[in-house]
Amino acid sequence: MMHEHIKKRIIKELIGEIVCLGAIELELVGHYMVSVLEGGRMVHHGINKDYKPVGYTVDSFSDDSTVVAEYSTEQGYFENEDSSPTKNAHSFPKIENDIQHALGHRQPQGPDKIYLITNHEEPPSFRAKFNTTFIGQSHGGRVVFLDAREMAKKVYQQSTNNQDCAAFYRQFFPGFSQNLDNYEYYGKLPAPCDGHIHDQGIGDALAKHFEAYPVCVLHGVSGSGKTQAAIGFVHHQQANEFENYVWITGEDWPKDTSLSAVQRSRGGAPVNIVGLFNASKAILVIDGLERPVDRSVFDELQNGFQKGGVVLVTSQSAIMAGEGCLPIPEVSIDTASRILGEDYDNASGEAKRFIQSCKFNPLILSTARAFIVQDGVSSNDLYKEVLDSPSEISSRDGQSIMGKILKRLENGAFQALKKIANSGLTTHDLEFLRKFIGISHSRTLQHLSILLPTSTPGVARIHDLVCMAVRDQTDGKELATAVEQYVGDQKGEMTPSALREIHLALDPLQAEHARRGERDPDWLSYALLQVESDAKQALHEQIHSKEISPGVPIPKVMCLIDAKEAHAYAIDSPDERKEYYRQCAEQFGNALAGAADEDVRAELLHHRGKALRRCENHQEALNCFTQLLSMKPEWHATHGQIAHLGMQYGVSSDIKDAGERSMRALIDGMTKDASAVPLRVSLAALARLRSYGNVVNDLSKDPAQVQKLADLIALSAMEGFGQFYEAFVSFTSKFGYHHPSICLTLAERLPEMLAMPPETVEKGQWVSACEALANTATSARKEDRRSLVDQLLNASVQFATAISAGEQLKSYDARAAAKAFIIADMPQKALETIAKVPADRIDHWILYRKAEAELALEKCDEALATAQQAVELVGKDHRATEHISSYHKLLSEVYERRGQIDDAHQEAKKALDKCKDDQFQNTLAERVARLEGMLP
């Protein structure tokens, strides 16, 4: 059964492929889909026998005409063309025309069901507006809308239920096809190339090598099949001989960096290479490592080697001396023939000579087959053209041969491929590429398996041999300009797609930025501000002090705001920082008064509200956000800001209520459709959920809703968002008690995220990671999952140790580390950590942990004094009302350990009386009853 978060990822990518469908392809896919949905034959008249559009008839209909389907790729399909002066009047001409067309097919009553199918995504507000129209009210009951999102769900469902459906849809969606084949490794192992044939000879050579030596550097020229051999080896060997595998690229392992400090690139999640490899008999693949290495760099993996683990490195050159290297064997004639799609015994002379000449490079064979099968190229013509240049065959680098084959691309697709090659990069975000080279060209290259998916979701690549074969120059200027325009088209919204492409294209972006020299900040500047780099630091220093005046364009506004926020974090004094935010709020307000552009106004309102919150002008901040919601109701981030405002210390009940309403709005959106709310906003909301007890209590009553939030957190780990830990700690702290199994399942779904040493995680996330792992360990202990408890506690203690290494600690940091030490039965370490908190920063939270540690060390007198002080202080903190019963329970435990049963009983009763949690009440009631039985 596929995990839900992987299913969502596959559907999301499938939506992208559906959006790219042309009119004829949409007709074919839509007609097939409706036939399956209706469980019977449909007549298709929308295209003729030559696959050309046909007018004057509905596109598809059932034999009795009770079902009609219409397909549309027209732009603006869901656009509201309101020509009425009445504010709430709506009109959708394209949709209304399709419905009238369908009604006229079966007169007088019309069909019972009308499918309206489009490759566009339906806007959230569309359905409510359509329902107010005359045609919506008259015929809405018989209309079924299938937009790109709903189509993707149907394609996925039909494909996983029926192999015949999967076979049909694979023709149109190559990315989806690979995901279906490879979902069990999704997000980790690259998918095999289309048409890849596993060569047993290469597998046998690798197996024989590993019998004698645990490290293998598999080397060969570009396109010789090294990566595919590694994929095939993992697929064929793991199930039988190995317990786990880890896949990274050479780019993920910087020079002079230990494997234990590796972080996957391109937005992927960090992964503890050494920990995962040493934990079991595993395969570690390092794909495309192009530098010399010595056997000593793998010394950290000795424990894994002793278990039988192996390391497979692929490279274009031999990079390790001695027995560690293995030249990739040529594939056999049989394998080469199958890759090409030929039957060697019955093949033509040209085909046999082509196979013998090109079997040194499987990529050439598979590319040739793609052109023959997918593009209808004459096989003998192609073979003859290559064979007529024997000098190019003998060179054995494959570039000239590949170039000849690729020139058979139609000119637009060839120029698009050259555009990618000339950018100097082989890897790009797929959504960006569709803008950069065009949807149709992108689809053509995907269809021919020239543009391939990578192990990072949403990222595609062109093989370096393909790039070398068509590249005529290397100039990143065109790419940098395209990225700048991409960011501008999205008005600076940092979607995962935009962030991935900015990271991938950082070098050409920085080069173009330097070439342009000093200037007003633009979208290129804003793109560079999203990545930690020297360019970002220099930009911040140059512009943070500049005024935002009326009439400034949106990119400059966003850059200046970004720089000002970064500067505020560099101000150490809280009072000075507060005054700086007050000045920012005043400046944003002045600029807002003279701004005419709505996007600029919205941006200034958003950040003025944030600045007002930070200088504790809470009511005016709420006014800003409320005004912004009326302007941009679709901005979920505004609800996030109001929820953040509602959890501030000392705010009025009205602001708290507004915060709770916004939190409920976000949770409602996230649980109804996780993709409707930007992932960063969702994670920030989950991180703040701990401050909204009423919302948590309502969610806890519905395990299905809790599971949806867990799925969303799992998805964030796949995307590599740093906010993962903040959301994870909030989730585990609030739902670990009532829903331990969901928390444990989430942990087990994310083994890489839970097996990372602190040095691979941003320091600002250490406390969240520590607490989340400790919370989950507590849940695992409740479920008696001893092995998982040990794994989680080991990871948690690593973070606790790193946190407690400082000379002086914040109270919050110390209590998180102390909690981990206490759960791991290391109370002395907990006390040592707490001792690093300044005396004036000691609060009831830290005293609670101190009393726990003292009790564990049998220091009952100290524990009593500490627990009493904690109870006294918590009673004065209205924010901790829901936790008071836990403090009385702790004091009861101290009294019991001291033999003061009457006092223990009284404190247990107080805990029960003040408890509002049903499940915890049961635990406390059992304690009260047990202590009553011990009274004299």
Side-chain angles (χ1 to χ4, degrees):
M1 179 69 181
M2 191 183 302
H3 284 316
E4 187 67 18
H5 68 290
I6 296 177
K7 170 184 169 182
K8 288 177 180 177
R9 163 59 61 190
I10 294 174
I11 288 175
K12 181 181 177 184
E13 291 196 3
L14 181 54
I15 292 170
E17 293 193 281
I18 289 172
V19 167
C20 297
L21 288 177
I24 302 303
E25 292 168 318
L26 181 68
E27 291 240 356
L28 295 170
V29 170
H31 176 78
Y32 183 87
M33 180 181 294
V34 173
S35 298
V36 174
L37 289 171
E38 292 300 315
R41 191 180 85 94
M42 295 280 289
V43 180
H44 192 191
H45 279 184
I47 54 178
N48 63 22
K49 61 183 176 62
D50 297 318
Y51 290 86
K52 302 293 184 183
V54 175
Y56 310 107
T57 180
V58 293
D59 295 328
S60 296
F61 53 90
S62 59
D63 284 327
D64 60 3
S65 294
T66 58
V67 179
V68 168
E70 294 277 62
Y71 315 108
S72 176
T73 58
E74 286 188 67
Q75 291 298 317
Y77 188 74
F78 290 110
E79 284 183 8
N80 179 19
E81 297 185 14
D82 174 22
S83 58
S84 167
T86 306
K87 183 179 179 181
N88 293 322
H90 304 290
S91 175
F92 303 93
K94 296 178 177 64
I95 291 170
E96 291 169 8
N97 183 62
D98 281 349
I99 293 174
Q100 293 291 1
H101 199 195
L103 292 170
H105 179 73
R106 184 190 184 217
Q107 295 182 352
Q109 70 269 40
D112 298 335
K113 189 183 293 185
I114 301 172
Y115 285 96
L116 298 183
I117 299 177
T118 177
N119 63 340
H120 301 294
E121 285 194 71
E122 177 184 322
S125 60
F126 163 74
R127 202 64 63 101
K129 293 175 181 176
F130 174 74
N131 290 339
T132 66
T133 64
F134 173 77
I135 201 163
Q137 293 174 347
S138 303
H139 303 291
R142 67 178 89 191
V143 175
V144 178
F145 288 99
L146 293 179
D147 70 334
R149 183 178 300 279
E150 290 302 313
M151 283 185 71
K153 294 176 184 177
K154 293 288 189 291
V155 169
Y156 175 86
Q157 185 178 34
Q158 292 177 2
S159 297
T160 51
N161 289 342
N162 187 302
Q163 287 297 317
D164 292 337
C165 293
F168 175 84
Y169 290 127
R170 283 175 191 273
Q171 304 171 73
F172 300 91
F173 308 119
F176 176 63
S177 175
Q178 288 183 312
N179 285 338
L180 284 180
D181 288 337
N182 211 52
Y183 72 81
E184 65 269 36
Y185 299 104
Y186 193 81
K188 300 179 184 178
L189 190 70
C193 288
D194 188 34
H196 170 68
I197 305 295
H198 178 66
D199 187 83
Q200 191 58 46
I202 296 176
D204 291 344
L206 285 168
K208 184 176 180 181
H209 177 97
F210 285 129
E211 287 176 5
Y213 202 71
V215 178
C216 176
V217 178
L218 184 67
H219 63 92
V221 298
S222 178
S224 56
K226 303 179 297 296
T227 298
Q228 296 304 307
I231 294 170
F233 185 76
V234 173
H235 267 297
H236 285 78
Q237 299 296 325
Q238 189 204 349
N240 300 320
E241 298 180 31
F242 293 88
E243 300 168 32
N244 195 8
Y245 72 89
V246 185
W247 184 288
I248 62 171
T249 70
E251 294 175 9
D252 297 331
W253 187 17
K255 188 178 181 182
D256 300 324
T257 302
S258 69
L259 277 169
S260 62
V262 164
Q263 273 191 285
R264 284 181 176 165
S265 62
R266 298 183 296 278
V271 53
N272 181 356
I273 302 296
V274 174
L276 288 173
F277 185 84
N278 287 336
S280 59
K281 184 179 179 182
I283 307 169
L284 167 60
V285 179
I286 306 169
D287 186 35
L289 184 68
E290 303 301 338
R291 67 166 184 270
V293 291
D294 185 82
R295 169 66 195 268
S296 63
V297 300
F298 300 114
D299 286 348
E300 297 172 285
L301 306 180
Q302 287 306 316
N303 290 340
F305 289 145
Q306 290 172 10
K307 292 181 173 72
V310 298
V311 175
L312 175 56
V313 181
T314 69
S315 177
Q316 290 190 37
S317 58
I319 55 173
M320 194 164 82
E323 63 271 43
C325 285
L326 174 68
I328 185 168
E330 275 194 5
V331 299
S332 66
I333 288 289
D334 177 62
T335 298
S337 302
R338 290 167 64 199
I339 293 172
L340 189 60
E342 294 276 5
D343 176 359
Y344 191 82
D345 292 337
N346 299 307
S348 66
E350 285 85 358
K352 288 181 177 178
R353 288 196 297 277
F354 185 85
I355 291 167
Q356 291 166 348
S357 300
C358 297
K359 68 185 178 74
F360 74 94
N361 198 301
L363 182 63
I364 290 175
L365 298 172
S366 63
T367 304
R369 177 180 181 172
F371 276 84
I372 293 165
V373 175
Q374 307 290 350
D375 234 26
V377 170
S378 165
S379 57
N380 276 352
D381 286 353
L382 189 150
Y383 300 153
K384 190 172 185 305
E385 183 178 348
V386 171
L387 294 168
D388 281 348
S389 302
S391 61
E392 292 176 353
I393 295 173
S394 63
S395 72
R396 308 291 282 183
D397 66 8
Q399 286 187 41
S400 297
I401 299 174
M402 182 62 79
K404 279 183 177 292
I405 296 172
L406 292 172
K407 282 181 180 176
R408 289 182 171 269
L409 279 167
E410 58 92 10
N411 186 57
F414 183 78
Q415 295 304 320
L417 178 60
K418 184 180 287 190
K419 196 173 179 180
I420 298 173
N422 287 348
S423 75
L425 302 176
T426 59
T427 307
H428 295 274
D429 174 79
L430 186 56
E431 287 183 43
F432 166 77
L433 271 186
R434 288 168 179 156
K435 294 281 187 181
F436 185 48
I437 64 172
I439 289 174
S440 62
H441 298 324
S442 174
R443 174 159 178 73
T444 297
L445 298 179
Q446 282 183 286
H447 193 61
L448 292 168
S449 296
I450 294 171
L451 182 61
L452 299 165
T454 69
S455 58
T456 302
V459 175
R461 68 177 177 88
I462 301 289
H463 198 284
D464 55 358
L465 176 60
V466 171
C467 285
M468 289 186 290
V470 301
R471 181 182 293 143
D472 53 21
Q473 62 176 329
T474 301
D475 183 1
K477 180 180 177 181
E478 186 177 16
L479 173 65
T481 303
V483 173
E484 178 183 26
Q485 184 177 342
Y486 190 59
V487 173
D489 288 345
Q490 299 181 70
K491 297 179 181 177
E493 182 183 351
M494 280 300 122
T495 62
S497 167
L499 280 170
R500 277 194 295 262
E501 187 59 32
I502 291 167
H503 277 84
L504 288 163
L506 184 58
D507 287 344
L509 289 176
Q510 291 191 122
E512 176 62 12
H513 173 68
R515 189 193 68 78
R516 291 184 188 181
E518 200 167 319
R519 63 196 186 281
D520 268 355
D522 49 24
W523 286 125
L524 176 60
S525 310
Y526 191 67
L528 288 172
L529 291 178
Q530 310 310 310
V531 182
E532 293 302 325
S533 64
D534 292 341
K536 175 179 179 175
Q537 187 64 33
L539 268 169
H540 277 164
E541 291 174 0
Q542 290 169 16
I543 66 176
H544 79 81
S545 60
K546 293 185 177 181
E547 291 280 323
I548 300 178
S549 54
V552 172
I554 185 68
K556 184 174 180 180
V557 168
M558 294 179 72
C559 287
L560 292 178
I561 288 172
D562 194 300
K564 290 177 187 300
E565 288 202 347
H567 178 70
Y569 287 121
I571 300 173
D572 292 329
S573 167
D575 291 337
E576 289 180 19
R577 192 183 310 123
K578 183 177 176 180
E579 173 59 20
Y580 181 75
Y581 281 129
R582 190 198 63 74
Q583 293 171 7
C584 286
E586 183 179 345
Q587 185 183 144
F588 298 159
N590 293 336
L592 183 63
D597 183 276
E598 186 174 286
D599 291 324
V600 170
R601 289 181 60 79
E603 203 66 36
L604 288 169
L605 267 175
H606 180 77
H607 288 281
R608 182 167 187 266
K610 288 174 66 175
L612 287 166
R613 168 176 57 79
R614 286 164 169 163
C615 64
E616 298 179 13
N617 195 336
H618 299 137
Q619 185 57 54
E620 200 171 343
L622 179 60
N623 295 341
C624 270
F625 294 134
T626 303
Q627 184 181 348
L628 181 56
L629 267 184
S630 66
M631 285 176 57
K632 301 271 188 179
E634 73 280 7
W635 274 19
H636 293 92
T638 309
H639 278 300
Q641 287 299 325
I642 295 173
H644 194 180
L645 183 63
M647 60 185 277
Q648 300 304 301
Y649 183 74
V651 297
S652 68
S653 58
D654 288 345
I655 295 177
K656 288 181 182 177
D657 291 343
E660 182 170 320
R661 286 194 298 272
S662 282
M663 178 60 75
R664 289 187 185 279
L666 288 171
I667 295 294
D668 186 57
M670 290 152 55
T671 53
K672 283 182 177 176
D673 181 2
S675 62
V677 181
L679 191 54
R680 289 181 181 276
V681 177
S682 295
L683 292 175
L686 287 172
R688 295 170 185 140
L689 192 56
R690 286 196 283 185
S691 297
Y692 291 98
N694 293 335
V695 181
V696 171
N697 292 338
D698 290 344
L699 282 168
S700 288
K701 296 170 186 174
D702 189 347
Q705 297 290 79
V706 177
Q707 184 61 62
K708 287 178 181 179
L709 297 182
D711 291 340
L712 194 146
I713 292 172
L715 180 63
S716 77
M718 290 183 68
E719 293 280 11
F721 281 94
Q723 292 165 291
F724 161 81
Y725 280 115
E726 295 172 16
F728 189 39
V729 68
S730 180
F731 182 85
T732 53
S733 68
K734 288 292 142 189
F735 300 113
Y737 186 75
H738 291 97
H739 302 283
S741 60
I742 293 178
C743 291
L744 294 184
T745 301
L746 176 59
E748 290 173 319
R749 284 161 62 178
L750 304 170
E752 293 176 348
M753 294 297 288
L754 304 178
M756 291 183 296
E759 59 264 27
T760 65
V761 178
E762 290 180 24
K763 194 170 184 179
Q765 298 290 341
W766 284 2
V767 172
S768 293
C770 178
E771 190 174 357
L773 292 161
N775 289 341
T776 314
T778 301
S779 297
R781 188 169 282 165
K782 279 185 182 179
E783 301 282 303
D784 198 26
R785 301 284 297 280
R786 296 179 185 178
S787 174
L788 187 56
V789 170
D790 292 341
Q791 180 188 352
L792 290 162
L793 285 181
N794 287 338
S796 179
V797 166
Q798 284 190 63
F799 282 98
T801 302
I803 292 165
S804 61
E807 292 295 321
Q808 192 176 89
L809 298 178
K810 297 177 183 176
S811 175
Y812 185 83
D813 296 1
R815 87 185 200 224
K819 177 180 179 179
F821 286 133
I822 291 165
I823 295 171
D825 196 23
M826 301 168 67
Q828 186 58 45
K829 285 289 293 180
L831 290 180
E832 292 169 5
T833 299
I834 291 168
K836 295 183 178 183
V837 178
D840 61 344
R841 298 293 180 184
I842 296 291
D843 55 26
H844 62 82
W845 304 103
I846 200 72
L847 290 172
Y848 182 96
R849 297 301 173 195
K850 184 180 180 184
E852 279 190 315
E854 289 168 339
L855 187 61
L857 289 167
E858 297 294 336
K859 297 181 177 181
C860 296
D861 292 343
E862 293 94 326
L864 177 60
T866 305
Q868 287 173 331
Q869 187 183 0
V871 169
E872 181 183 350
L873 290 177
V874 75
K876 300 175 182 177
D877 184 357
H878 71 274
R879 297 173 300 173
T881 303
E882 64 178 296
H883 301 286
I884 287 178
S885 58
S886 296
Y887 283 71
H888 285 288
K889 177 177 179 287
L890 175 61
L891 185 52
S892 173
E893 290 170 347
V894 175
Y895 278 128
E896 183 181 2
R897 190 75 62 87
R898 287 168 57 87
Q900 297 172 249
I901 304 302
D902 184 52
D903 291 326
H905 177 248
Q906 292 303 315
E907 289 300 325
K909 285 179 65 179
K910 289 178 185 177
L912 181 57
D913 291 341
K914 296 179 180 182
C915 181
K916 296 180 180 179
D917 183 280
D918 293 342
Q919 192 170 336
F920 194 34
Q921 279 179 344
N922 293 334
T923 301
L924 292 172
E926 291 173 4
R927 177 171 184 78
V928 169
R930 181 176 63 79
L931 290 169
E932 280 179 355
M934 298 170 63
L935 291 171

